[in-house]
Amino acid sequence: MRAVRRAVLAVCFGLAGAVILRLAGGTATVPEQGGWRELAGTDLR
Amino acid sequence: MSAPSVVVVGAGVLGARVTRELLGFNSDGTPAVDRLTLVGRRPARLAELSGPNGTPVRMIEADEPPADVLGEADVVVIARAAGDQLSVATRAVSAGAHVVATSDDLEECRSLLKLSSVAISAARSVAVGVAMAPGLSCLLARHATALFDGVDEIHVARVGAGGPSCARQRRRALRGTGVEYRDGEWLERPGFSGRELVWFPDPIGGADCYRAALADPVLIVDAVFGLRRASARMAASRVDRGTFWMPMFIGPPAEGAPGAVRVEVRGQRNGERHDVVYGVFDRPAVAGAATAAVAALAAARGDLPHGAHGLAAVENPVVMLRELARRGVRAATFVGSREFGIDEPSEEQQHP
């Protein structure tokens, strides 16, 4: 009985941890290769 | 042509900024408007705005704009909360005014587009979804199409919100059903699905974007012919993911947080595939208000097509983009970098 209770508790903690990590996790970053240039000159003619 | 008489309906963050933009001057130094009226529901808010704007603005406190006020207007700019604009737009067109509606509510934009036949018969323009996104996003998409022989795909992404009403609408959009256009069919997808890492102009950088009930695809497909795909996504955080189903307990900053919009257009040029990315970084209320003000002045000049359309239907977007740049809303284009082994676009890829 005790072992079952421990197993259930472990599963609950695992699920709660996964939810917290999912909410707190950062953006999946892949560096963008390049930059931005303001539209000017021939772009706006 | 003499300066127009403009009525702004709604005195929130966006309405106040539109009023301020319209109080400015044209590039030749002449006043942008002849007469400016601001209609609001809250007396305290109107009193607050009457100070900085001074006497040139006529303030009217009313739940609905009076018929005589709409009747004497050349252009009516509706800056009320999204979902509360259709009735004013219908009355304004019937009264003979051009309309600029700032709503970004998907269903309301669809309803506003249905005013087209009424607007055409009255020889008036109803500009639908005129803020940062949709609005400026549609204008950038239209500008980019000039670089292609044929455009296949247009994908819009946005980050940020204007005032409190805009922030609430953003939540509603994430809870709603997103629409995507694919090979002649409209597909419905649940909000907060389809996560995609999108890169916005600095300093926003990368942000995870999701599907939401956004009006950009509907407005773009209405105006750009031959499209095979159109979609829109909105940036949201992990906290949004956990709380988007709840009402808003904490609103955004009074003038909104910094935001950005990114428009990616794909198509053919000279028989080859090309991809052009435009973006703008600004506070959504600032960029949206400038876009609405510039659209209102364009409508008064007769530069917008008759009927009800988004800004993707503008014939010459360059005039409006130049005026926006003069007012401080500057668009940028994504370019490669030699540092990463990607060359800058050739002259051929730039506007002729």
Side-chain angles (χ1 to χ4, degrees), chain B residues 46-98:
Chain B
L46 291 176
E48 185 187 322
L49 292 175
S50 63
N53 286 330
T55 50
V57 183
R58 181 171 56 148
M59 303 280 186
I60 294 178
E61 182 210 332
D63 279 343
E64 296 297 328
D68 59 321
V69 171
L70 293 179
E72 68 190 32
D74 295 312
V75 186
V76 175
V77 181
I78 309 171
R80 278 183 174 178
D84 193 19
Q85 302 195 5
L86 180 63
S87 62
V88 182
T90 309
R91 288 180 58 217
V93 178
S94 304
H98 298 289

Side-chain angles (χ1 to χ4, degrees), chain B residues 1 9 81 114 116 118 131 134 149 161 171 187 189 193-194 259-260 282 295 317 330 343 352:
Chain B
M1 191 197 142
V9 181
K114 290 178 185 160
S116 206
V118 180
D149 298 326
R171 272 290 170 92
L187 306 178
R189 296 280 187 261
S193 64
D282 212 324
R330 296 190 171 91
D343 289 334

Side-chain angles (χ1 to χ4, degrees), chain A residues 16-42:
Chain A
V19 169
I20 290 167
L21 282 176
R22 180 84 177 153
L23 288 175
T27 307
T29 49
V30 176
E32 191 178 45
Q33 299 185 331
W36 293 83
R37 175 178 60 78
E38 191 176 315
L39 291 186
T42 56

